[in-house]
Amino acid sequence: VFASNPVVELPPNAEGHLNVGGALDLGILSVIKDMGLKEPYIGQIPLASGNIAEDITAYYSISEQIPTVCALGIVFNDDATVRAAGGYMLQLVPPVQDKAVAVIEDNLKKMESITGQLEKGLKPEELAVNALEGLGGEILDQWNAQYYCDCSRERTERILASLGKQELEKLEKEGENVEVCCHFCNKKYEFSTAEISKLLKEQKN
């Protein structure tokens, strides 16, 4: 979620928490997934509350029909800087037994709020194990989360080639450089007429 104006000062909401919904307002939650296909998968739902965790939960329930629980929290220092921020997301995917679902539901009811757990300095793996207590949960893998796009000039060139002979001939005839913008990170790739001609020649061969 991106805010066009990140410097927003609002009073707390009715529950005394950060008024995230008031800062973001309501709109559309759009999720784009690169599934390795010709076109990315795009799922959209109207934002229901402006609460990020609640709207993510609603997205999976409505758009992908996956039972999901999402919780997010943030802890501030006295000078209003962020000391800790994090959350968890649990999803029920087949096959899952009703007994396991009941255990997870009970765990979630007993668990302290995500903000409270972050204040205590719990690590991500500890949050996961707490949510799966009684189910023999194991940490199978760990990695650093980061926002990045795996687009490249070579990949973009393959997308151009997939347009087909007729469309490439049209671009070549126009005699202008072609600019392709990545839907994920907005990085732009420019291809000259000579490069378009090369792609067209490869198509013909």
Side-chain angles (χ1 to χ4, degrees):
V1 177
F2 295 91
S4 57
N5 178 17
V7 184
V8 179
E9 294 186 15
L10 293 173
N13 59 23
E15 289 77 32
H17 301 147
L18 283 173
N19 192 359
V20 178
L24 295 178
D25 204 357
L26 298 182
I28 298 294
L29 173 62
S30 180
V31 177
I32 303 174
K33 290 184 178 182
D34 183 358
M35 310 290 285
L37 304 174
K38 186 175 181 180
E39 294 292 334
Y41 166 81
I42 302 176
Q44 292 183 328
I45 65 163
L47 290 174
S49 67
N51 180 296
I52 297 174
E54 291 178 4
D55 287 321
I56 288 175
T57 298
Y59 165 79
Y60 278 105
S61 175
I62 297 171
S63 183
E64 301 195 15
Q65 298 181 351
I66 300 175
T68 301
V69 175
C70 180
L72 302 171
I74 187 169
V75 180
F76 291 98
N77 294 310
D78 293 337
D79 60 357
T81 57
V82 176
R83 176 156 58 93
Y88 62 80
M89 185 169 69
L90 293 174
Q91 293 185 313
L92 299 179
V93 292
V96 60
Q97 297 179 359
D98 291 340
K99 288 183 179 180
V101 176
V103 171
I104 292 173
E105 290 177 342
D106 188 53
N107 288 343
L108 293 175
K109 290 177 183 177
K110 293 187 299 184
M111 281 174 64
E112 188 177 3
S113 71
I114 182 65
T115 302
Q117 295 182 77
L118 291 172
E119 285 180 331
K120 291 180 178 178
L122 266 67
K123 298 178 180 178
E125 54 268 30
E126 293 174 308
L127 295 176
V129 171
N130 287 345
L132 300 176
E133 184 180 354
L135 296 175
E138 298 179 50
I139 305 298
L140 300 178
D141 198 2
Q142 298 184 51
W143 64 89
N144 293 325
Q146 59 179 318
Y147 180 79
Y148 78 100
C149 181
D150 61 353
C151 70
S152 65
R153 186 174 182 84
E154 292 74 20
R155 189 173 181 181
T156 307
E157 186 177 273
R158 290 198 299 270
I159 293 173
L160 264 179
S162 70
L163 294 176
K165 177 182 173 182
Q166 186 174 355
E167 191 64 30
L168 289 173
E169 286 178 340
K170 181 180 177 182
L171 293 173
E172 181 187 44
K173 188 175 181 181
E174 289 174 354
E176 297 180 359
N177 290 350
V178 176
E179 184 179 87
V180 182
C181 182
C182 176
H183 288 291
F184 296 97
C185 66
N186 291 324
K187 186 174 182 179
K188 295 179 174 64
Y189 297 93
E190 189 171 283
F191 294 86
S192 66
T193 304
E195 289 174 308
I196 297 297
S197 299
K198 180 183 175 182
L199 287 175
L200 183 58
K201 184 178 180 180
E202 291 173 352
Q203 289 262 324
K204 291 178 179 178
N205 290 339

mmCIF file of all heavy atoms in Angstrom, residues 38-57:
data_model
loop_
_atom_site.group_PDB
_atom_site.id
_atom_site.type_symbol
_atom_site.label_atom_id
_atom_site.label_comp_id
_atom_site.label_asym_id
_atom_site.label_seq_id
_atom_site.Cartn_x
_atom_site.Cartn_y
_atom_site.Cartn_z
ATOM 1 N N LYS A 38 1.860 -15.303 -19.634
ATOM 2 C CA LYS A 38 2.017 -14.190 -20.559
ATOM 3 C C LYS A 38 1.549 -12.888 -19.917
ATOM 4 O O LYS A 38 2.157 -11.832 -20.095
ATOM 5 C CB LYS A 38 1.206 -14.470 -21.838
ATOM 6 C CG LYS A 38 1.412 -13.422 -22.933
ATOM 7 C CD LYS A 38 0.686 -13.828 -24.203
ATOM 8 C CE LYS A 38 0.904 -12.790 -25.290
ATOM 9 N NZ LYS A 38 0.223 -13.147 -26.552
ATOM 10 N N GLU A 39 0.454 -12.957 -19.165
ATOM 11 C CA GLU A 39 -0.086 -11.789 -18.493
ATOM 12 C C GLU A 39 -0.109 -12.036 -16.986
ATOM 13 O O GLU A 39 -0.387 -13.143 -16.543
ATOM 14 C CB GLU A 39 -1.510 -11.488 -18.989
ATOM 15 C CG GLU A 39 -1.597 -11.076 -20.450
ATOM 16 C CD GLU A 39 -0.965 -9.726 -20.710
ATOM 17 O OE1 GLU A 39 -0.901 -8.911 -19.764
ATOM 18 O OE2 GLU A 39 -0.522 -9.477 -21.843
ATOM 19 N N PRO A 40 0.166 -11.007 -16.165
ATOM 20 C CA PRO A 40 0.101 -11.184 -14.713
ATOM 21 C C PRO A 40 -1.338 -11.353 -14.244
ATOM 22 O O PRO A 40 -2.279 -10.881 -14.893
ATOM 23 C CB PRO A 40 0.704 -9.878 -14.176
ATOM 24 C CG PRO A 40 0.444 -8.877 -15.260
ATOM 25 C CD PRO A 40 0.565 -9.646 -16.560
ATOM 26 N N TYR A 41 -1.499 -12.047 -13.115
ATOM 27 C CA TYR A 41 -2.826 -12.191 -12.514
ATOM 28 C C TYR A 41 -3.133 -10.927 -11.714
ATOM 29 O O TYR A 41 -2.306 -10.458 -10.937
ATOM 30 C CB TYR A 41 -2.869 -13.408 -11.593
ATOM 31 C CG TYR A 41 -4.085 -13.441 -10.691
ATOM 32 C CD1 TYR A 41 -5.305 -13.902 -11.161
ATOM 33 C CD2 TYR A 41 -4.014 -12.984 -9.378
ATOM 34 C CE1 TYR A 41 -6.427 -13.916 -10.344
ATOM 35 C CE2 TYR A 41 -5.123 -12.994 -8.551
ATOM 36 C CZ TYR A 41 -6.327 -13.457 -9.042
ATOM 37 O OH TYR A 41 -7.435 -13.455 -8.237
ATOM 38 N N ILE A 42 -4.309 -10.357 -11.906
ATOM 39 C CA ILE A 42 -4.705 -9.148 -11.193
ATOM 40 C C ILE A 42 -6.025 -9.400 -10.480
ATOM 41 O O ILE A 42 -7.019 -9.772 -11.100
ATOM 42 C CB ILE A 42 -4.850 -7.944 -12.146
ATOM 43 C CG1 ILE A 42 -3.531 -7.692 -12.889
ATOM 44 C CG2 ILE A 42 -5.272 -6.698 -11.366
ATOM 45 C CD1 ILE A 42 -3.609 -6.584 -13.921
ATOM 46 N N GLY A 43 -6.038 -9.219 -9.161
ATOM 47 C CA GLY A 43 -7.254 -9.351 -8.367
ATOM 48 C C GLY A 43 -7.565 -8.025 -7.707
ATOM 49 O O GLY A 43 -6.664 -7.331 -7.230
ATOM 50 N N GLN A 44 -8.842 -7.643 -7.683
ATOM 51 C CA GLN A 44 -9.227 -6.353 -7.119
ATOM 52 C C GLN A 44 -10.486 -6.489 -6.274
ATOM 53 O O GLN A 44 -11.395 -7.243 -6.621
ATOM 54 C CB GLN A 44 -9.478 -5.319 -8.223
ATOM 55 C CG GLN A 44 -8.246 -4.895 -9.000
ATOM 56 C CD GLN A 44 -8.570 -3.824 -10.033
ATOM 57 O OE1 GLN A 44 -9.656 -3.794 -10.586
ATOM 58 N NE2 GLN A 44 -7.625 -2.940 -10.280
ATOM 59 N N ILE A 45 -10.523 -5.747 -5.166
ATOM 60 C CA ILE A 45 -11.742 -5.623 -4.375
ATOM 61 C C ILE A 45 -11.813 -4.194 -3.854
ATOM 62 O O ILE A 45 -10.783 -3.530 -3.685
ATOM 63 C CB ILE A 45 -11.786 -6.599 -3.175
ATOM 64 C CG1 ILE A 45 -10.678 -6.268 -2.168
ATOM 65 C CG2 ILE A 45 -11.724 -8.046 -3.609
ATOM 66 C CD1 ILE A 45 -10.877 -6.889 -0.808
ATOM 67 N N PRO A 46 -13.015 -3.680 -3.585
ATOM 68 C CA PRO A 46 -13.130 -2.361 -2.948
ATOM 69 C C PRO A 46 -12.620 -2.434 -1.512
ATOM 70 O O PRO A 46 -12.847 -3.426 -0.826
ATOM 71 C CB PRO A 46 -14.641 -2.071 -2.979
ATOM 72 C CG PRO A 46 -15.226 -3.072 -3.920
ATOM 73 C CD PRO A 46 -14.315 -4.262 -3.918
ATOM 74 N N LEU A 47 -11.900 -1.434 -1.069
ATOM 75 C CA LEU A 47 -11.457 -1.384 0.315
ATOM 76 C C LEU A 47 -12.673 -1.225 1.219
ATOM 77 O O LEU A 47 -13.518 -0.360 1.001
ATOM 78 C CB LEU A 47 -10.491 -0.222 0.534
ATOM 79 C CG LEU A 47 -9.103 -0.372 -0.112
ATOM 80 C CD1 LEU A 47 -8.301 0.905 0.049
ATOM 81 C CD2 LEU A 47 -8.353 -1.535 0.497
ATOM 82 N N ALA A 48 -12.759 -2.084 2.226
ATOM 83 C CA ALA A 48 -13.945 -2.093 3.076
ATOM 84 C C ALA A 48 -13.805 -1.178 4.288
ATOM 85 O O ALA A 48 -14.771 -0.550 4.717
ATOM 86 C CB ALA A 48 -14.238 -3.521 3.543
ATOM 87 N N SER A 49 -12.587 -1.113 4.864
ATOM 88 C CA SER A 49 -12.443 -0.366 6.114
ATOM 89 C C SER A 49 -11.280 0.613 6.112
ATOM 90 O O SER A 49 -11.254 1.535 6.915
ATOM 91 C CB SER A 49 -12.257 -1.353 7.274
ATOM 92 O OG SER A 49 -11.008 -2.020 7.154
ATOM 93 N N GLY A 50 -10.299 0.411 5.236
ATOM 94 C CA GLY A 50 -9.087 1.223 5.296
ATOM 95 C C GLY A 50 -8.076 0.639 6.254
ATOM 96 O O GLY A 50 -6.926 1.062 6.285
ATOM 97 N N ASN A 51 -8.487 -0.359 7.042
ATOM 98 C CA ASN A 51 -7.549 -1.090 7.897
ATOM 99 C C ASN A 51 -6.844 -2.127 7.030
ATOM 100 O O ASN A 51 -7.488 -3.019 6.470
ATOM 101 C CB ASN A 51 -8.307 -1.769 9.049
ATOM 102 C CG ASN A 51 -7.389 -2.545 9.973
ATOM 103 O OD1 ASN A 51 -6.758 -3.518 9.569
ATOM 104 N ND2 ASN A 51 -7.337 -2.130 11.223
ATOM 105 N N ILE A 52 -5.527 -2.005 6.906
ATOM 106 C CA ILE A 52 -4.786 -2.826 5.943
ATOM 107 C C ILE A 52 -4.977 -4.314 6.196
ATOM 108 O O ILE A 52 -5.248 -5.096 5.275
ATOM 109 C CB ILE A 52 -3.290 -2.456 5.957
ATOM 110 C CG1 ILE A 52 -3.103 -1.008 5.521
ATOM 111 C CG2 ILE A 52 -2.496 -3.381 5.033
ATOM 112 C CD1 ILE A 52 -1.687 -0.499 5.644
ATOM 113 N N ALA A 53 -4.835 -4.751 7.456
ATOM 114 C CA ALA A 53 -4.958 -6.178 7.773
ATOM 115 C C ALA A 53 -6.354 -6.699 7.443
ATOM 116 O O ALA A 53 -6.507 -7.779 6.873
ATOM 117 C CB ALA A 53 -4.636 -6.417 9.249
ATOM 118 N N GLU A 54 -7.385 -5.937 7.792
ATOM 119 C CA GLU A 54 -8.760 -6.358 7.522
ATOM 120 C C GLU A 54 -9.028 -6.437 6.024
ATOM 121 O O GLU A 54 -9.695 -7.362 5.548
ATOM 122 C CB GLU A 54 -9.748 -5.386 8.169
ATOM 123 C CG GLU A 54 -9.765 -5.442 9.692
ATOM 124 C CD GLU A 54 -10.722 -4.426 10.290
ATOM 125 O OE1 GLU A 54 -11.422 -3.735 9.500
ATOM 126 O OE2 GLU A 54 -10.774 -4.304 11.522
ATOM 127 N N ASP A 55 -8.500 -5.490 5.277
ATOM 128 C CA ASP A 55 -8.747 -5.479 3.835
ATOM 129 C C ASP A 55 -7.967 -6.580 3.115
ATOM 130 O O ASP A 55 -8.439 -7.120 2.110
ATOM 131 C CB ASP A 55 -8.413 -4.107 3.245
ATOM 132 C CG ASP A 55 -9.457 -3.056 3.610
ATOM 133 O OD1 ASP A 55 -10.649 -3.401 3.621
ATOM 134 O OD2 ASP A 55 -9.077 -1.915 3.896
ATOM 135 N N ILE A 56 -6.775 -6.936 3.613
ATOM 136 C CA ILE A 56 -6.032 -8.065 3.043
ATOM 137 C C ILE A 56 -6.800 -9.357 3.284
ATOM 138 O O ILE A 56 -6.932 -10.213 2.398
ATOM 139 C CB ILE A 56 -4.617 -8.155 3.640
ATOM 140 C CG1 ILE A 56 -3.746 -7.005 3.108
ATOM 141 C CG2 ILE A 56 -3.967 -9.505 3.312
ATOM 142 C CD1 ILE A 56 -2.366 -6.940 3.718
ATOM 143 N N THR A 57 -7.339 -9.507 4.506
ATOM 144 C CA THR A 57 -8.141 -10.680 4.841
ATOM 145 C C THR A 57 -9.353 -10.769 3.924
ATOM 146 O O THR A 57 -9.685 -11.846 3.404
ATOM 147 C CB THR A 57 -8.612 -10.611 6.312
ATOM 148 O OG1 THR A 57 -7.456 -10.602 7.164
ATOM 149 C CG2 THR A 57 -9.474 -11.806 6.665
#
